[in-house]
Amino acid sequence: RGVLSEVVWRDAHSWMDAPDRYPKEYLVHTAGWTRIDGKFWTVVAEYTPEGARGVTRIPVEMVQSITALAPKGG
């Protein structure tokens, strides 16, 4: 399942804030079980008998930090 973590990442839409011509730092905080899948970090909010729900895939280059919230399997 991965490690329960908080991922802080830059949202791609932060570059589209009109009417400013300059990009704003728009950081998103997402918590869940994390694992690396190629060029993406996958964050799963919950697991049900039917499978994972609340899945967020974040491009690796957009991640600012990852902080473990519990030991693996904890």
Side-chain angles (χ1 to χ4, degrees), residues 1-26:
R1 288 190 181 187
V3 177
L4 185 59
S5 305
E6 176 190 36
V7 181
V8 179
W9 54 284
R10 183 176 289 114
D11 190 316
H13 296 289
S14 64
W15 301 93
M16 301 170 62
D17 292 339
D20 293 337
R21 292 200 278 177
Y22 301 101
K24 294 180 182 174
E25 181 94 299
Y26 187 84

Side-chain angles (χ1 to χ4, degrees), residues 22-60:
Y22 301 101
K24 294 180 182 174
E25 181 94 299
Y26 187 84
L27 296 179
V28 178
H29 297 247
T30 304
W33 287 271
T34 58
R35 69 177 185 276
I36 190 84
D37 284 329
K39 295 183 180 183
F40 294 88
W41 276 99
T42 297
V43 184
V44 176
E46 60 187 17
Y47 287 97
T48 69
E50 291 82 29
R53 291 196 315 189
V55 178
T56 303
R57 289 174 41 92
I58 307 163
V60 169

